[in-house]
Amino acid sequence: MAGGGGDRGQRVADQVAERIERLIVDGVLKKGQALPSERRLVEKLGCSRSALREGLRVLRGRGIIDTEQGRGSFVADLNRGSDASPLMHLFSSQPRTLYDLLEVRALLEGESARLAALRATEADLILLRRRYEEMSAVHDEPTPVDPREHARRDHAFHRAISEASHNPVLVHTLQSLSELMLSTVFASVNNLYHRPVQKRQIDRQHARLFHAICERQPSQAQRAAREHIESIRDNLREIEQEEQRLVRATMRLEGWN
């Protein structure tokens, strides 16, 4: 009998763990975010405190949550180590990777934009507008914004689009490439934004992409995202040819954190 009770307890704990995992996969709980209090989780999940504690122990064992004394439990960085892996190091050390990454961005972000136009909730659109306005506000700052900060805001705008796609695999795939993606954004900011023609073009493309998603026009959103990335690629290639210098050296830039 005791064994049966133990089995039932483990099943409940596994169910609790799976429900918390679903919240993480769906982006309700994000990397580094503290989990709600034990009392609130018990209410939300409809389980006992002992089942919750056992479920959290299961998640700790899987490396999905971390617990620190005095800080409580929070969502672990599920991509930790990916940017430091030998493969990521090889990608970031090879100048040609910049254009390979822009190819991948055109494919993945085109689909992200299409899905976002179809699936974005009102909350997603509010967040997307906030990121768009933060990115656009760079031009109105009284002092010039550091290119790294500009790149972060640009990257946050594109990340908000991917999250509005409500495809967890797509979101996590883009997040796993986050550092490399950010370096492509920095390459465009650092090499294109001080050129008036290219800057106006990028601003128009961002606006077109933003409005297509807000107006729920999936094919226009997909086209806008792909054209945006592809024009960045073409512009960077043109600069390289004109100036005989490798803008791809920015791939080796470090110190984003």
Side-chain angles (χ1 to χ4, degrees), residues 133-146 149-151 153-154 193:
E133 289 173 351
E134 287 168 355
M135 177 179 65
S136 303
V138 164
H139 311 311
D140 303 322
E141 299 282 349
T143 55
V145 174
D146 179 79
E149 174 59 24
H150 195 164
R153 295 190 197 185
D154 189 313
Y193 263 90

mmCIF file with all atom_site columns, all heavy atoms in Angstrom, residues 133-146 149-151 153-154 193:
data_model
loop_
_atom_site.group_PDB
_atom_site.id
_atom_site.type_symbol
_atom_site.label_atom_id
_atom_site.label_alt_id
_atom_site.label_comp_id
_atom_site.label_asym_id
_atom_site.label_entity_id
_atom_site.label_seq_id
_atom_site.pdbx_PDB_ins_code
_atom_site.Cartn_x
_atom_site.Cartn_y
_atom_site.Cartn_z
_atom_site.occupancy
_atom_site.B_iso_or_equiv
_atom_site.pdbx_formal_charge
_atom_site.auth_seq_id
_atom_site.auth_comp_id
_atom_site.auth_asym_id
_atom_site.auth_atom_id
_atom_site.pdbx_PDB_model_num
ATOM 1   N N   . GLU A 1 133 ? 8.589  51.535 -30.009 1.00 0.00 ? 133 GLU A N   1
ATOM 2   C CA  . GLU A 1 133 ? 8.761  52.937 -29.601 1.00 0.00 ? 133 GLU A CA  1
ATOM 3   C C   . GLU A 1 133 ? 10.107 53.158 -28.923 1.00 0.00 ? 133 GLU A C   1
ATOM 4   O O   . GLU A 1 133 ? 10.744 54.194 -29.121 1.00 0.00 ? 133 GLU A O   1
ATOM 5   C CB  . GLU A 1 133 ? 7.600  53.362 -28.690 1.00 0.00 ? 133 GLU A CB  1
ATOM 6   C CG  . GLU A 1 133 ? 6.286  53.495 -29.469 1.00 0.00 ? 133 GLU A CG  1
ATOM 7   C CD  . GLU A 1 133 ? 5.094  53.756 -28.574 1.00 0.00 ? 133 GLU A CD  1
ATOM 8   O OE1 . GLU A 1 133 ? 5.233  53.671 -27.318 1.00 0.00 ? 133 GLU A OE1 1
ATOM 9   O OE2 . GLU A 1 133 ? 4.005  54.048 -29.123 1.00 0.00 ? 133 GLU A OE2 1
ATOM 10  N N   . GLU A 1 134 ? 10.562 52.193 -28.118 1.00 0.00 ? 134 GLU A N   1
ATOM 11  C CA  . GLU A 1 134 ? 11.886 52.300 -27.483 1.00 0.00 ? 134 GLU A CA  1
ATOM 12  C C   . GLU A 1 134 ? 12.983 52.327 -28.538 1.00 0.00 ? 134 GLU A C   1
ATOM 13  O O   . GLU A 1 134 ? 13.941 53.101 -28.419 1.00 0.00 ? 134 GLU A O   1
ATOM 14  C CB  . GLU A 1 134 ? 12.107 51.119 -26.523 1.00 0.00 ? 134 GLU A CB  1
ATOM 15  C CG  . GLU A 1 134 ? 11.303 51.198 -25.247 1.00 0.00 ? 134 GLU A CG  1
ATOM 16  C CD  . GLU A 1 134 ? 11.316 49.899 -24.445 1.00 0.00 ? 134 GLU A CD  1
ATOM 17  O OE1 . GLU A 1 134 ? 11.886 48.899 -24.926 1.00 0.00 ? 134 GLU A OE1 1
ATOM 18  O OE2 . GLU A 1 134 ? 10.744 49.889 -23.340 1.00 0.00 ? 134 GLU A OE2 1
ATOM 19  N N   . MET A 1 135 ? 12.835 51.496 -29.557 1.00 0.00 ? 135 MET A N   1
ATOM 20  C CA  . MET A 1 135 ? 13.828 51.460 -30.633 1.00 0.00 ? 135 MET A CA  1
ATOM 21  C C   . MET A 1 135 ? 13.806 52.775 -31.415 1.00 0.00 ? 135 MET A C   1
ATOM 22  O O   . MET A 1 135 ? 14.858 53.352 -31.715 1.00 0.00 ? 135 MET A O   1
ATOM 23  C CB  . MET A 1 135 ? 13.514 50.285 -31.563 1.00 0.00 ? 135 MET A CB  1
ATOM 24  C CG  . MET A 1 135 ? 14.424 50.159 -32.764 1.00 0.00 ? 135 MET A CG  1
ATOM 25  S SD  . MET A 1 135 ? 13.977 48.725 -33.782 1.00 0.00 ? 135 MET A SD  1
ATOM 26  C CE  . MET A 1 135 ? 12.338 49.214 -34.351 1.00 0.00 ? 135 MET A CE  1
ATOM 27  N N   . SER A 1 136 ? 12.608 53.280 -31.721 1.00 0.00 ? 136 SER A N   1
ATOM 28  C CA  . SER A 1 136 ? 12.477 54.513 -32.502 1.00 0.00 ? 136 SER A CA  1
ATOM 29  C C   . SER A 1 136 ? 12.962 55.728 -31.721 1.00 0.00 ? 136 SER A C   1
ATOM 30  O O   . SER A 1 136 ? 13.453 56.703 -32.308 1.00 0.00 ? 136 SER A O   1
ATOM 31  C CB  . SER A 1 136 ? 11.023 54.719 -32.923 1.00 0.00 ? 136 SER A CB  1
ATOM 32  O OG  . SER A 1 136 ? 10.559 53.607 -33.653 1.00 0.00 ? 136 SER A OG  1
ATOM 33  N N   . ALA A 1 137 ? 12.816 55.677 -30.380 1.00 0.00 ? 137 ALA A N   1
ATOM 34  C CA  . ALA A 1 137 ? 13.193 56.816 -29.539 1.00 0.00 ? 137 ALA A CA  1
ATOM 35  C C   . ALA A 1 137 ? 14.683 57.084 -29.538 1.00 0.00 ? 137 ALA A C   1
ATOM 36  O O   . ALA A 1 137 ? 15.131 58.148 -29.103 1.00 0.00 ? 137 ALA A O   1
ATOM 37  C CB  . ALA A 1 137 ? 12.709 56.591 -28.105 1.00 0.00 ? 137 ALA A CB  1
ATOM 38  N N   . VAL A 1 138 ? 15.467 56.111 -30.024 1.00 0.00 ? 138 VAL A N   1
ATOM 39  C CA  . VAL A 1 138 ? 16.931 56.281 -30.103 1.00 0.00 ? 138 VAL A CA  1
ATOM 40  C C   . VAL A 1 138 ? 17.268 57.576 -30.837 1.00 0.00 ? 138 VAL A C   1
ATOM 41  O O   . VAL A 1 138 ? 18.190 58.303 -30.463 1.00 0.00 ? 138 VAL A O   1
ATOM 42  C CB  . VAL A 1 138 ? 17.571 55.075 -30.824 1.00 0.00 ? 138 VAL A CB  1
ATOM 43  C CG1 . VAL A 1 138 ? 18.982 55.394 -31.265 1.00 0.00 ? 138 VAL A CG1 1
ATOM 44  C CG2 . VAL A 1 138 ? 17.591 53.859 -29.913 1.00 0.00 ? 138 VAL A CG2 1
ATOM 45  N N   . HIS A 1 139 ? 16.501 57.876 -31.886 1.00 0.00 ? 139 HIS A N   1
ATOM 46  C CA  . HIS A 1 139 ? 16.812 59.042 -32.721 1.00 0.00 ? 139 HIS A CA  1
ATOM 47  C C   . HIS A 1 139 ? 16.489 60.365 -32.021 1.00 0.00 ? 139 HIS A C   1
ATOM 48  O O   . HIS A 1 139 ? 16.955 61.415 -32.440 1.00 0.00 ? 139 HIS A O   1
ATOM 49  C CB  . HIS A 1 139 ? 16.035 58.959 -34.037 1.00 0.00 ? 139 HIS A CB  1
ATOM 50  C CG  . HIS A 1 139 ? 16.167 57.617 -34.705 1.00 0.00 ? 139 HIS A CG  1
ATOM 51  N ND1 . HIS A 1 139 ? 17.381 57.000 -34.901 1.00 0.00 ? 139 HIS A ND1 1
ATOM 52  C CD2 . HIS A 1 139 ? 15.223 56.765 -35.196 1.00 0.00 ? 139 HIS A CD2 1
ATOM 53  C CE1 . HIS A 1 139 ? 17.181 55.828 -35.497 1.00 0.00 ? 139 HIS A CE1 1
ATOM 54  N NE2 . HIS A 1 139 ? 15.891 55.660 -35.681 1.00 0.00 ? 139 HIS A NE2 1
ATOM 55  N N   . ASP A 1 140 ? 15.664 60.296 -30.957 1.00 0.00 ? 140 ASP A N   1
ATOM 56  C CA  . ASP A 1 140 ? 15.249 61.524 -30.272 1.00 0.00 ? 140 ASP A CA  1
ATOM 57  C C   . ASP A 1 140 ? 16.042 61.800 -28.997 1.00 0.00 ? 140 ASP A C   1
ATOM 58  O O   . ASP A 1 140 ? 15.798 62.783 -28.313 1.00 0.00 ? 140 ASP A O   1
ATOM 59  C CB  . ASP A 1 140 ? 13.750 61.434 -29.919 1.00 0.00 ? 140 ASP A CB  1
ATOM 60  C CG  . ASP A 1 140 ? 12.885 61.188 -31.151 1.00 0.00 ? 140 ASP A CG  1
ATOM 61  O OD1 . ASP A 1 140 ? 13.206 61.767 -32.202 1.00 0.00 ? 140 ASP A OD1 1
ATOM 62  O OD2 . ASP A 1 140 ? 11.912 60.416 -31.052 1.00 0.00 ? 140 ASP A OD2 1
ATOM 63  N N   . GLU A 1 141 ? 16.979 60.903 -28.673 1.00 0.00 ? 141 GLU A N   1
ATOM 64  C CA  . GLU A 1 141 ? 17.768 61.083 -27.448 1.00 0.00 ? 141 GLU A CA  1
ATOM 65  C C   . GLU A 1 141 ? 18.632 62.347 -27.583 1.00 0.00 ? 141 GLU A C   1
ATOM 66  O O   . GLU A 1 141 ? 19.156 62.631 -28.662 1.00 0.00 ? 141 GLU A O   1
ATOM 67  C CB  . GLU A 1 141 ? 18.686 59.876 -27.224 1.00 0.00 ? 141 GLU A CB  1
ATOM 68  C CG  . GLU A 1 141 ? 17.945 58.553 -27.043 1.00 0.00 ? 141 GLU A CG  1
ATOM 69  C CD  . GLU A 1 141 ? 17.360 58.382 -25.657 1.00 0.00 ? 141 GLU A CD  1
ATOM 70  O OE1 . GLU A 1 141 ? 17.700 59.177 -24.770 1.00 0.00 ? 141 GLU A OE1 1
ATOM 71  O OE2 . GLU A 1 141 ? 16.562 57.454 -25.478 1.00 0.00 ? 141 GLU A OE2 1
ATOM 72  N N   . PRO A 1 142 ? 18.775 63.123 -26.473 1.00 0.00 ? 142 PRO A N   1
ATOM 73  C CA  . PRO A 1 142 ? 19.563 64.361 -26.533 1.00 0.00 ? 142 PRO A CA  1
ATOM 74  C C   . PRO A 1 142 ? 21.036 64.134 -26.853 1.00 0.00 ? 142 PRO A C   1
ATOM 75  O O   . PRO A 1 142 ? 21.693 64.960 -27.464 1.00 0.00 ? 142 PRO A O   1
ATOM 76  C CB  . PRO A 1 142 ? 19.391 64.959 -25.127 1.00 0.00 ? 142 PRO A CB  1
ATOM 77  C CG  . PRO A 1 142 ? 18.935 63.829 -24.259 1.00 0.00 ? 142 PRO A CG  1
ATOM 78  C CD  . PRO A 1 142 ? 18.172 62.900 -25.147 1.00 0.00 ? 142 PRO A CD  1
ATOM 79  N N   . THR A 1 143 ? 21.555 62.972 -26.440 1.00 0.00 ? 143 THR A N   1
ATOM 80  C CA  . THR A 1 143 ? 22.949 62.637 -26.764 1.00 0.00 ? 143 THR A CA  1
ATOM 81  C C   . THR A 1 143 ? 22.955 61.349 -27.580 1.00 0.00 ? 143 THR A C   1
ATOM 82  O O   . THR A 1 143 ? 22.059 60.511 -27.413 1.00 0.00 ? 143 THR A O   1
ATOM 83  C CB  . THR A 1 143 ? 23.792 62.428 -25.483 1.00 0.00 ? 143 THR A CB  1
ATOM 84  O OG1 . THR A 1 143 ? 23.156 61.427 -24.673 1.00 0.00 ? 143 THR A OG1 1
ATOM 85  C CG2 . THR A 1 143 ? 23.900 63.722 -24.692 1.00 0.00 ? 143 THR A CG2 1
ATOM 86  N N   . PRO A 1 144 ? 23.940 61.169 -28.449 1.00 0.00 ? 144 PRO A N   1
ATOM 87  C CA  . PRO A 1 144 ? 23.979 59.964 -29.290 1.00 0.00 ? 144 PRO A CA  1
ATOM 88  C C   . PRO A 1 144 ? 23.970 58.693 -28.443 1.00 0.00 ? 144 PRO A C   1
ATOM 89  O O   . PRO A 1 144 ? 24.653 58.602 -27.424 1.00 0.00 ? 144 PRO A O   1
ATOM 90  C CB  . PRO A 1 144 ? 25.300 60.106 -30.051 1.00 0.00 ? 144 PRO A CB  1
ATOM 91  C CG  . PRO A 1 144 ? 25.604 61.571 -30.021 1.00 0.00 ? 144 PRO A CG  1
ATOM 92  C CD  . PRO A 1 144 ? 25.057 62.087 -28.729 1.00 0.00 ? 144 PRO A CD  1
ATOM 93  N N   . VAL A 1 145 ? 23.161 57.733 -28.862 1.00 0.00 ? 145 VAL A N   1
ATOM 94  C CA  . VAL A 1 145 ? 23.054 56.455 -28.148 1.00 0.00 ? 145 VAL A CA  1
ATOM 95  C C   . VAL A 1 145 ? 24.180 55.532 -28.604 1.00 0.00 ? 145 VAL A C   1
ATOM 96  O O   . VAL A 1 145 ? 24.479 55.430 -29.792 1.00 0.00 ? 145 VAL A O   1
ATOM 97  C CB  . VAL A 1 145 ? 21.675 55.806 -28.415 1.00 0.00 ? 145 VAL A CB  1
ATOM 98  C CG1 . VAL A 1 145 ? 21.603 54.413 -27.810 1.00 0.00 ? 145 VAL A CG1 1
ATOM 99  C CG2 . VAL A 1 145 ? 20.570 56.682 -27.853 1.00 0.00 ? 145 VAL A CG2 1
ATOM 100 N N   . ASP A 1 146 ? 24.801 54.877 -27.627 1.00 0.00 ? 146 ASP A N   1
ATOM 101 C CA  . ASP A 1 146 ? 25.864 53.925 -27.932 1.00 0.00 ? 146 ASP A CA  1
ATOM 102 C C   . ASP A 1 146 ? 25.329 52.853 -28.884 1.00 0.00 ? 146 ASP A C   1
ATOM 103 O O   . ASP A 1 146 ? 24.207 52.359 -28.695 1.00 0.00 ? 146 ASP A O   1
ATOM 104 C CB  . ASP A 1 146 ? 26.321 53.268 -26.624 1.00 0.00 ? 146 ASP A CB  1
ATOM 105 C CG  . ASP A 1 146 ? 27.424 52.245 -26.858 1.00 0.00 ? 146 ASP A CG  1
ATOM 106 O OD1 . ASP A 1 146 ? 28.575 52.657 -27.021 1.00 0.00 ? 146 ASP A OD1 1
ATOM 107 O OD2 . ASP A 1 146 ? 27.100 51.044 -26.898 1.00 0.00 ? 146 ASP A OD2 1
ATOM 108 N N   . GLU A 1 149 ? 23.739 49.812 -27.305 1.00 0.00 ? 149 GLU A N   1
ATOM 109 C CA  . GLU A 1 149 ? 22.403 50.021 -26.746 1.00 0.00 ? 149 GLU A CA  1
ATOM 110 C C   . GLU A 1 149 ? 21.363 50.061 -27.860 1.00 0.00 ? 149 GLU A C   1
ATOM 111 O O   . GLU A 1 149 ? 20.276 49.507 -27.746 1.00 0.00 ? 149 GLU A O   1
ATOM 112 C CB  . GLU A 1 149 ? 22.367 51.325 -25.934 1.00 0.00 ? 149 GLU A CB  1
ATOM 113 C CG  . GLU A 1 149 ? 20.985 51.733 -25.428 1.00 0.00 ? 149 GLU A CG  1
ATOM 114 C CD  . GLU A 1 149 ? 20.325 50.694 -24.535 1.00 0.00 ? 149 GLU A CD  1
ATOM 115 O OE1 . GLU A 1 149 ? 21.031 49.865 -23.921 1.00 0.00 ? 149 GLU A OE1 1
ATOM 116 O OE2 . GLU A 1 149 ? 19.087 50.707 -24.454 1.00 0.00 ? 149 GLU A OE2 1
ATOM 117 N N   . HIS A 1 150 ? 21.728 50.714 -28.952 1.00 0.00 ? 150 HIS A N   1
ATOM 118 C CA  . HIS A 1 150 ? 20.840 50.760 -30.105 1.00 0.00 ? 150 HIS A CA  1
ATOM 119 C C   . HIS A 1 150 ? 20.581 49.341 -30.624 1.00 0.00 ? 150 HIS A C   1
ATOM 120 O O   . HIS A 1 150 ? 19.437 48.970 -30.928 1.00 0.00 ? 150 HIS A O   1
ATOM 121 C CB  . HIS A 1 150 ? 21.475 51.627 -31.199 1.00 0.00 ? 150 HIS A CB  1
ATOM 122 C CG  . HIS A 1 150 ? 20.516 52.030 -32.266 1.00 0.00 ? 150 HIS A CG  1
ATOM 123 N ND1 . HIS A 1 150 ? 20.760 53.041 -33.149 1.00 0.00 ? 150 HIS A ND1 1
ATOM 124 C CD2 . HIS A 1 150 ? 19.298 51.534 -32.611 1.00 0.00 ? 150 HIS A CD2 1
ATOM 125 C CE1 . HIS A 1 150 ? 19.736 53.170 -33.972 1.00 0.00 ? 150 HIS A CE1 1
ATOM 126 N NE2 . HIS A 1 150 ? 18.839 52.251 -33.665 1.00 0.00 ? 150 HIS A NE2 1
ATOM 127 N N   . ALA A 1 151 ? 21.633 48.545 -30.702 1.00 0.00 ? 151 ALA A N   1
ATOM 128 C CA  . ALA A 1 151 ? 21.499 47.163 -31.175 1.00 0.00 ? 151 ALA A CA  1
ATOM 129 C C   . ALA A 1 151 ? 20.609 46.355 -30.234 1.00 0.00 ? 151 ALA A C   1
ATOM 130 O O   . ALA A 1 151 ? 19.794 45.541 -30.676 1.00 0.00 ? 151 ALA A O   1
ATOM 131 C CB  . ALA A 1 151 ? 22.875 46.509 -31.299 1.00 0.00 ? 151 ALA A CB  1
ATOM 132 N N   . ARG A 1 153 ? 18.135 47.457 -28.401 1.00 0.00 ? 153 ARG A N   1
ATOM 133 C CA  . ARG A 1 153 ? 16.728 47.845 -28.598 1.00 0.00 ? 153 ARG A CA  1
ATOM 134 C C   . ARG A 1 153 ? 16.177 47.272 -29.898 1.00 0.00 ? 153 ARG A C   1
ATOM 135 O O   . ARG A 1 153 ? 15.027 46.822 -29.954 1.00 0.00 ? 153 ARG A O   1
ATOM 136 C CB  . ARG A 1 153 ? 16.596 49.368 -28.599 1.00 0.00 ? 153 ARG A CB  1
ATOM 137 C CG  . ARG A 1 153 ? 16.938 50.003 -27.265 1.00 0.00 ? 153 ARG A CG  1
ATOM 138 C CD  . ARG A 1 153 ? 16.564 51.470 -27.271 1.00 0.00 ? 153 ARG A CD  1
ATOM 139 N NE  . ARG A 1 153 ? 17.215 52.217 -26.199 1.00 0.00 ? 153 ARG A NE  1
ATOM 140 C CZ  . ARG A 1 153 ? 16.985 53.490 -25.939 1.00 0.00 ? 153 ARG A CZ  1
ATOM 141 N NH1 . ARG A 1 153 ? 16.115 54.175 -26.675 1.00 0.00 ? 153 ARG A NH1 1
ATOM 142 N NH2 . ARG A 1 153 ? 17.603 54.099 -24.951 1.00 0.00 ? 153 ARG A NH2 1
ATOM 143 N N   . ASP A 1 154 ? 16.987 47.291 -30.932 1.00 0.00 ? 154 ASP A N   1
ATOM 144 C CA  . ASP A 1 154 ? 16.602 46.714 -32.227 1.00 0.00 ? 154 ASP A CA  1
ATOM 145 C C   . ASP A 1 154 ? 16.335 45.206 -32.046 1.00 0.00 ? 154 ASP A C   1
ATOM 146 O O   . ASP A 1 154 ? 15.319 44.675 -32.506 1.00 0.00 ? 154 ASP A O   1
ATOM 147 C CB  . ASP A 1 154 ? 17.737 46.972 -33.228 1.00 0.00 ? 154 ASP A CB  1
ATOM 148 C CG  . ASP A 1 154 ? 17.377 46.623 -34.662 1.00 0.00 ? 154 ASP A CG  1
ATOM 149 O OD1 . ASP A 1 154 ? 16.822 45.531 -34.878 1.00 0.00 ? 154 ASP A OD1 1
ATOM 150 O OD2 . ASP A 1 154 ? 17.677 47.419 -35.572 1.00 0.00 ? 154 ASP A OD2 1
ATOM 151 N N   . TYR A 1 193 ? 23.699 52.713 -39.758 1.00 0.00 ? 193 TYR A N   1
ATOM 152 C CA  . TYR A 1 193 ? 22.865 53.776 -39.198 1.00 0.00 ? 193 TYR A CA  1
ATOM 153 C C   . TYR A 1 193 ? 23.458 55.172 -39.336 1.00 0.00 ? 193 TYR A C   1
ATOM 154 O O   . TYR A 1 193 ? 22.750 56.154 -39.223 1.00 0.00 ? 193 TYR A O   1
ATOM 155 C CB  . TYR A 1 193 ? 22.513 53.474 -37.735 1.00 0.00 ? 193 TYR A CB  1
ATOM 156 C CG  . TYR A 1 193 ? 21.142 52.832 -37.598 1.00 0.00 ? 193 TYR A CG  1
ATOM 157 C CD1 . TYR A 1 193 ? 21.002 51.450 -37.649 1.00 0.00 ? 193 TYR A CD1 1
ATOM 158 C CD2 . TYR A 1 193 ? 19.996 53.589 -37.440 1.00 0.00 ? 193 TYR A CD2 1
ATOM 159 C CE1 . TYR A 1 193 ? 19.757 50.850 -37.553 1.00 0.00 ? 193 TYR A CE1 1
ATOM 160 C CE2 . TYR A 1 193 ? 18.756 53.006 -37.333 1.00 0.00 ? 193 TYR A CE2 1
ATOM 161 C CZ  . TYR A 1 193 ? 18.635 51.648 -37.390 1.00 0.00 ? 193 TYR A CZ  1
ATOM 162 O OH  . TYR A 1 193 ? 17.395 51.060 -37.302 1.00 0.00 ? 193 TYR A OH  1
#
